[in-house]
Amino acid sequence: MVKQQLIHSNYQPLANEIEHYFAQSNTILHNDRNIIKEVEFNNETLVVKSYKQLGWFRSFIYTYLKKSKARRAYEYGLKIAKFTPKVIARIEYFQPLLGKSYLICQKLEADFNMQAPLFKNHPNKQTIFEQFAAFVYQLHQHNIFHRDLSPGNILIKQNNQCYEFKIIDINRMYFKTLSSQDRAKNFNKLWANDTDLSVILKAYARLGKFNEENFVQLGIKYNQQNKTRKIRKRKIKRVLKL
């Protein structure tokens, strides 16, 4: 059985033959747990994400108990269309449990992602940080909390001294009115040093009219907690040779 959701019937031929289009593409954007490729369809360049196939237990969960990652990403993409590349379709194969699944989006011609100003000493990083803070503030004002707001999931397109931001990998999100603690915590996945993170947090605090010193301290605390947890997890994996 195949389940599909599409924004327009024009993309039906692509959805019906997604496995063929995906296999034929040699333009790989990401190849790790999931595989992301560029696909050409009707003179349009699209991005297709193929999700890693799951073991039977998680397949059972995503078949009968929870929405799959592809379905959540598609539905969230429609809900937050202003903040993410346009979603086109999701396709899932069931046999009878969930097997292969795909998400199709429009390609954003981004110039770089958030790794450039954080880790590569981009010359305009101060401006980028301040404009990024404004972007996240808008997310939060729309009650959007991206649970994996990491540098690789923040795409940036430059237009002179203005920067357009889009978030990707959006299957892990929640929607609610956010407290100041929630807002500060949402920066914890950036892996930024304290100096750079302080610039972002101060700019955000000014927009939200929060106490700058308290907000910066809170954001740095959450960021350090995440780093400590990640480092500990890596050490455990190294010891266990996982």
Side-chain angles (χ1 to χ4, degrees):
M1 180 177 65
V2 181
K3 291 185 179 179
Q4 300 179 353
Q5 286 178 287
L6 294 82
I7 62 165
H8 198 283
S9 59
N10 288 348
Y11 295 99
Q12 193 67 62
L14 172 62
N16 291 343
E17 299 293 334
I18 189 59
E19 291 187 279
H20 171 76
Y21 279 94
F22 193 80
Q24 291 298 307
S25 172
N26 293 317
T27 308
I28 300 173
L29 304 179
H30 181 80
N31 188 0
D32 192 7
R33 180 174 52 188
N34 307 307
I35 303 173
I36 304 174
K37 292 184 177 182
E38 286 185 9
V39 168
E40 298 294 328
F41 176 73
N42 286 349
N43 298 317
E44 185 177 7
T45 301
L46 302 172
V47 173
V48 180
K49 182 174 186 176
S50 173
Y51 290 89
K52 177 185 176 181
Q53 286 191 251
L54 305 171
W56 73 268
F57 179 74
R58 294 185 70 192
S59 290
F60 179 88
I61 296 295
Y62 286 130
T63 300
Y64 297 114
L65 303 178
K66 293 176 63 177
K67 292 182 180 180
S68 68
K69 292 182 179 181
R71 181 176 175 183
R72 277 181 279 142
Y74 179 82
E75 292 179 354
Y76 292 166
L78 296 177
K79 188 170 184 175
I80 65 165
K82 177 181 177 181
F83 302 104
T84 191
K86 184 178 180 181
V87 292
I88 300 296
R90 65 107 176 174
I91 306 101
E92 297 175 320
Y93 296 86
F94 295 84
Q95 303 160 343
L97 299 181
L98 176 64
K100 293 182 179 179
S101 57
Y102 299 89
L103 178 73
I104 307 174
C105 301
Q106 282 189 340
K107 182 185 178 185
L108 174 69
E109 296 292 347
D111 295 302
F112 47 90
N113 62 30
M114 199 64 182
Q115 292 173 347
L118 285 174
F119 310 134
K120 301 177 183 178
N121 201 29
H122 191 283
N124 292 333
K125 72 177 189 175
Q126 176 86 18
T127 300
I128 295 170
F129 289 160
E130 292 176 352
Q131 293 185 18
F132 172 66
F135 171 76
V136 178
Y137 183 75
Q138 285 302 309
L139 284 178
H140 292 168
Q141 291 300 96
H142 285 78
N143 300 329
I144 300 167
F145 187 101
H146 190 329
R147 295 175 61 194
D148 193 10
L149 195 65
S150 57
N153 289 338
I154 304 159
L155 304 182
I156 305 174
K157 185 175 179 62
Q158 182 175 1
N159 183 12
N160 295 320
Q161 290 299 306
C162 293
Y163 295 89
E164 176 187 2
F165 299 85
K166 299 286 184 181
I167 50 174
I168 58 173
D169 204 3
I170 59 172
N171 59 279
R172 297 178 67 240
M173 309 186 74
Y174 63 74
F175 303 89
K176 70 170 190 175
T177 301
L178 300 170
S179 66
S180 59
Q181 287 82 4
D182 293 326
R183 291 166 182 253
K185 188 174 184 178
N186 206 185
F187 295 95
N188 72 334
K189 298 289 182 67
L190 291 182
W191 209 266
N193 62 52
D194 289 356
T195 300
D196 289 343
L197 186 58
S198 294
V199 174
I200 297 170
L201 293 168
K202 286 179 181 178
Y204 187 103
R206 289 193 292 270
L207 291 168
K209 295 181 172 56
F210 300 119
N211 179 284
E212 282 189 30
E213 183 178 354
N214 291 343
F215 194 77
V216 169
Q217 288 179 353
L218 192 59
I220 289 176
K221 182 189 77 171
Y222 285 130
N223 187 58
Q224 188 57 54
Q225 287 177 348
N226 181 64
K227 288 177 180 176
T228 301
R229 184 170 58 250
K230 289 287 188 181
I231 292 170
R232 185 187 304 118
K233 187 176 180 180
R234 289 173 186 171
K235 288 180 178 178
I236 293 172
K237 285 186 173 181
R238 198 178 306 123
V239 170
L240 298 178
K241 299 181 179 180
L242 297 177

